[in-house]
Amino acid sequence: MRITSLEDYHQQYQKSIENPAAFWDKIAQNFYWQKKWDSVYEADFEKAKFSWFKGAELNITENCLDRHVRKNPDKIAFHWEPNNPSEDSINITYQELQDRVCRFSYVLHEKGIGKGDRVCLYMPMIPELVVAMLACARIGAVHSIVFAGFSSKALENRINDAQCKLLITANSFYRGSKLISLKEICDVALENTPTIENVIVYRRTIEITPMQEGRDTFWFDELSKAYKECDPAVMNAEDPLFILYTSGSTGKPKGVVHTCGGYMVGTTYSFENVFQVDENDVYWCTADIGWITGHSYIVYGPLAFGATSVLFEGVPTYPDYRRFWQIVQKYQVSHFYTAPTAIRMLAKQGEKYVDAESLTSLKILGTVGEPINEEAWEWYNEVIGQRKCPILDTWWQTETGAIMISALADVTPNKPTFATLPLPGVLPALMDEDGKEIVFNGKEIQGNLCIKNPWPSMARTIWSDHERFKKVYFSTYKGKYFTGDGALRDADGNYRITGRVDDIIIISGHNLSTAPIENAINEIEIVGESAIVGYPDDIKGNALYAFISLKEGTSDEESIKKAILEKISQDIGAIAKPSKIQIVEDLPKTRSGKIMRRILRKIAAGERDFGDTSTLLNPDVVEKIKAKAIS
Ligand code: PRX
């Protein structure tokens, strides 16, 4: 499966495009299937229906666990590093992980969870999260992981959308120095989640947790009754493996559905080729498992490949800015994969926290989640990579399941701020405003990024809303998957992602849509209207600026701003809080009454030239807003 040279890459790429069925058939032979497929893939872009390895049967956990246990049971799957460095770290072998997964599978079974049932996981970055995910996959239940930074309302909405039967959580945990009372957040959500029958609570701290008799039980009490053996459920390649919610540009979050067979092949193939991990390497992806990066490149990809990874519970700033590099040294990390926002934040502290001695084990660096600016790229390359590590700028999405455009470590060349070349099996296209593909003419071209062919790890649908899936991804450009990103392609075929071209704003690598934030704000009694826009931020990449008009007769701006921040924390989560809130008399509108976000975006970015505003319904408000803009 491994591409070993630039020439090999070009050959493999060519093969994958000329005959995708033969190409992926061969790749898929490297996995353990209980039954092989009838067809490699079928695709209907019109209906947005895709299948990979149809007719095949497998269990992804046999590929992630059993087959490694048979060969190398004592290999470390995870070095778990707790939030607090004075607490003991834990090494978990493949054998131990398998035993724990099997025992917890039994617990799930005893709770009445079976194939196809949805289980919500709302947990910190502890080994039990991985155990719970894999136990779901083992018995064929569909996991829906909600990032433990989301609010109770967001949790409630996601549980209800997927109709989850079981919730698995922790009593509380520390993120840095902050105590997060997870179960209390759950309890608020649980008042409005009628489908939840049981709650399993992992006791991560000594904090007392209110438990509801008959519904809530502790993880350890459940496990004490469990057996170690659990045969893997036989899954069809196209059965759902998990649901993961991501922001929609309008309305409620989209429950992106990934299936068992294609996702396994796509994540493992990309993991092996992008990172080029060897037997004795130690790989560390710093993402949270609550996002797709954690699903694909902490859990499924590395485990199916058989890698040794670091799993970190904490944050880069606790106890201080040295933490990442101390962990690199402690485990002799060779492959380090993080987000540009973390790089910018650490770069801002200067070099006093980076001890070059601690970085000697590093061989490969990666980034994901947002465009990386030149300055951050250079710092990463010089200070962390000591100019000896390739930097893999990996472009992909929750919906793509696996990395789509990226350099392959030590195989294909790097270019600062460019994701570079598509992986085999990925055929990108850049589209113009009129919906036409921009023909490559030997010079740099720029447009909206689409993918022209199906690939194994692509999302199959949006949970219970296939129409929305079709509309969002497959109707803007006929016969193509539309990514929502803009990109340019240089004369050598390297891609650089320029950012979102829709209403989604990426803040510290988290996808946020402005519509639900505005909806939350508008529910506050005294708020008349609101408009949220993004503006560039040195560390977060983007930050949010809220323009708010109030109903008549309200004046205490400070308490209104406080109420807005509280409401957003409650409804969505702290990550959606605007950095700037400006109370305005009115919002600039077109004559048909639409808010002119283009102008607000310019004001937020500190620009002062708005072009002709005379066609606005209320041009005079622009000057007033500008005069009071927060810099
Ligand atoms: O805009 C792109 C940006 O993140 C979006 C996908 O976000 P999400 O589904 O949360 O997945 C993030 C982790 C894969 C993309 O549409 N993005 C992701 N990686 C990059 C990127 N933008 C630029 N460069 C990247 N390497």
Side-chain angles (χ1 to χ4, degrees):
M1 271 212 309
R2 186 170 294 203
I3 300 169
T4 51
S5 65
L6 186 57
E7 196 191 348
D8 191 16
Y9 160 77
H10 286 302
Q11 274 174 9
Q12 295 298 325
Y13 187 79
Q14 213 46 38
K15 280 187 187 164
S16 76
I17 301 305
E18 277 164 14
N19 191 346
F23 177 82
W24 288 111
D25 187 284
K26 195 163 166 214
I27 302 290
Q29 305 291 344
N30 293 293
F31 296 84
Y32 178 72
W33 305 83
Q34 290 166 3
K35 177 175 170 278
K36 293 274 170 73
W37 43 96
D38 303 321
S39 73
V40 176
Y41 77 98
E42 286 168 22
D44 182 341
F45 277 84
E46 193 84 12
K47 297 197 175 100
K49 290 272 184 199
F50 304 92
S51 69
W52 281 86
F53 311 112
K54 204 163 148 188
E57 290 173 352
L58 77 156
N59 189 292
I60 196 168
T61 69
E62 278 196 287
N63 285 276
C64 291
L65 301 169
D66 306 51
R67 65 174 175 156
H68 306 310
V69 168
R70 278 194 286 275
K71 278 201 217 137
N72 200 355
D74 298 329
K75 180 162 185 180
I76 306 259
F78 289 109
H79 296 288
W80 178 69
E81 175 70 16
N83 175 66
N84 189 335
S86 59
E87 201 184 323
D88 287 340
S89 51
I90 300 173
N91 294 329
I92 304 163
T93 64
Y94 274 88
Q95 176 75 63
E96 284 159 351
L97 186 59
Q98 168 155 317
D99 291 348
R100 292 173 74 171
V101 168
C102 288
R103 287 180 58 167
F104 199 69
S105 303
Y106 180 87
V107 171
L108 293 179
H109 193 70
E110 286 296 286
K111 289 284 169 196
I113 302 298
K115 223 184 204 182
D117 286 337
R118 273 81 61 208
V119 177
C120 180
L121 313 184
Y122 184 61
M123 298 174 81
M125 286 282 288
I126 52 178
E128 288 69 20
L129 172 53
V130 180
V131 169
M133 283 170 91
L134 294 174
C136 287
R138 188 89 174 166
I139 64 165
V142 178
H143 58 72
S144 167
I145 305 185
V146 178
F147 170 60
F150 276 122
S151 69
S152 53
K153 193 80 198 160
L155 175 65
E156 175 191 315
N157 290 340
R158 285 159 174 75
I159 289 175
N160 288 338
D161 187 72
Q163 307 229 298
C164 297
K165 270 172 85 171
L166 174 71
L167 171 64
I168 305 173
T169 188
N171 60 336
S172 53
F173 72 102
Y174 281 89
R175 182 178 286 133
S177 56
K178 197 168 164 210
L179 180 70
I180 317 270
S181 300
L182 218 47
K183 176 64 167 43
E184 282 176 22
I185 302 172
C186 291
D187 282 338
V188 178
L190 286 162
E191 285 172 20
N192 300 306
T193 53
T195 55
I196 293 285
E197 294 166 6
N198 293 103
V199 182
I200 299 178
V201 183
Y202 182 82
R203 202 198 288 269
R204 174 71 188 98
T205 64
I206 52 164
E207 257 73 32
I208 306 288
T209 303
M211 300 285 277
Q212 184 177 307
E213 181 79 36
R215 186 194 66 187
D216 307 349
T217 46
F218 283 111
W219 177 286
F220 281 114
D221 294 340
E222 293 294 344
L223 268 191
S224 63
K225 302 175 244 164
Y227 295 118
K228 217 165 74 172
E229 246 85 286
C230 171
D231 285 338
V234 179
M235 305 300 290
N236 289 315
E238 280 299 316
D239 281 339
L241 174 64
F242 65 83
I243 304 171
L244 181 60
Y245 287 85
T246 187
S247 293
S249 53
T250 50
K252 59 178 191 169
K254 301 174 293 215
V256 172
V257 177
H258 282 286
T259 55
C260 297
Y263 177 80
M264 171 181 76
V265 172
T267 52
T268 315
Y269 175 76
S270 55
F271 176 75
E272 167 154 24
N273 284 297
V274 170
F275 295 104
Q276 302 271 327
V277 168
D278 288 325
E279 184 56 31
N280 295 320
D281 286 335
V282 177
Y283 160 89
W284 180 19
C285 167
T286 71
D288 193 288
I289 292 177
W291 310 111
I292 191 68
T293 307
H295 282 61
S296 300
Y297 297 110
I298 295 180
V299 181
Y300 290 110
L303 288 179
F305 174 77
T308 294
S309 303
V310 173
L311 180 64
F312 177 41
E313 187 189 30
V315 291
T317 50
Y318 179 81
D320 65 30
Y321 295 104
R322 286 181 192 87
R323 191 69 193 279
F324 268 6
W325 320 127
Q326 285 167 341
I327 297 174
V328 166
Q329 184 168 33
K330 177 168 175 184
Y331 298 104
Q332 291 291 291
V333 170
S334 52
H335 292 64
F336 180 72
Y337 188 29
T338 196
T341 188
I343 298 167
R344 287 192 294 264
M345 193 246 299
L346 294 168
K348 197 173 170 212
Q349 313 310 317
E351 281 161 45
K352 61 179 183 290
Y353 295 104
V354 190
D355 165 13
E357 282 296 290
S358 64
L359 303 171
T360 50
S361 59
L362 288 175
K363 293 196 292 198
I364 309 286
L365 301 175
T367 74
V368 60
E370 55 189 312
I372 180 161
N373 49 309
E374 190 116 25
E375 212 182 328
W377 197 98
E378 287 301 342
W379 187 83
Y380 202 30
N381 183 32
E382 270 194 50
V383 180
I384 305 307
Q386 312 271 304
R387 291 193 163 276
K388 64 178 172 52
C389 303
I391 296 184
L392 314 168
D393 178 354
T394 64
W395 174 83
W396 59 295
Q397 308 178 297
T398 304
E399 296 85 343
T400 68
I403 297 170
M404 303 289 278
I405 304 181
S406 170
L408 311 182
D410 289 322
V411 170
T412 64
N414 273 195
K415 180 168 179 179
T417 76
F418 277 71
T420 72
L421 301 171
L423 262 68
V426 177
L427 195 54
L430 295 179
M431 311 299 291
D432 69 14
E433 293 294 302
D434 305 324
K436 284 209 219 54
E437 185 171 346
I438 305 168
V439 185
F440 182 59
N441 57 2
K443 297 198 191 107
E444 183 177 291
I445 54 172
Q446 184 160 3
N448 288 351
L449 179 64
C450 285
I451 309 294
K452 287 204 281 189
N453 61 337
W455 62 100
S457 65
M458 68 195 298
R460 299 295 194 270
T461 191
I462 291 175
W463 184 258
S464 72
D465 199 349
H466 192 72
E467 271 310 302
R468 191 172 177 201
F469 182 65
K470 210 163 86 181
K471 185 157 177 281
V472 174
Y473 305 109
F474 298 96
S475 59
T476 315
Y477 302 105
K478 211 169 173 305
K480 296 181 180 69
Y481 167 83
F482 176 42
T483 65
D485 283 332
L488 63 81
R489 183 184 193 270
D490 74 6
D492 300 323
N494 292 303
Y495 287 86
R496 175 190 192 158
I497 310 302
T498 49
R500 300 291 308 184
V501 293
D502 56 13
D503 289 344
I504 291 173
I505 301 174
I506 302 194
I507 295 167
S508 299
H510 300 153
N511 269 10
L512 287 174
S513 153
T514 52
I517 310 176
E518 289 171 4
N519 292 346
I521 297 175
N522 295 348
E523 279 173 22
I524 300 174
E525 189 58 39
I526 47 177
V527 168
E529 277 182 311
S530 63
I532 306 254
V533 295
Y535 68 94
D537 179 273
D538 283 351
I539 291 178
K540 297 187 210 171
N542 292 294
L544 296 179
Y545 195 128
F547 296 91
I548 314 281
S549 72
L550 302 174
K551 289 181 184 153
E552 283 193 19
T554 36
S555 59
D556 179 6
E557 289 199 3
E558 282 321 302
S559 64
I560 293 162
K561 287 182 184 173
K562 202 166 150 234
I564 289 172
L565 292 175
E566 269 170 22
K567 182 76 167 58
I568 294 172
S569 292
Q570 255 170 34
D571 281 17
I572 300 163
I575 48 174
K577 281 202 237 172
S579 304
K580 297 176 183 174
I581 302 178
Q582 183 179 353
I583 308 289
V584 299
E585 196 177 287
D586 200 2
L587 296 169
K589 306 248 175 72
T590 62
R591 287 191 189 270
S592 60
K594 265 189 157 177
I595 298 172
M596 273 298 270
R597 286 165 199 278
R598 184 175 55 81
I599 290 181
L600 294 174
R601 256 182 234 124
K602 288 195 165 180
I603 295 178
E607 290 175 38
R608 294 298 174 252
D609 178 13
F610 310 122
D612 182 15
T613 55
S614 62
T615 55
L616 289 181
L617 185 67
N618 48 359
D620 49 318
V621 304
V622 175
E623 284 306 312
K624 290 185 189 163
I625 298 176
K626 195 173 92 178
K628 284 203 194 158
I630 307 165
S631 56

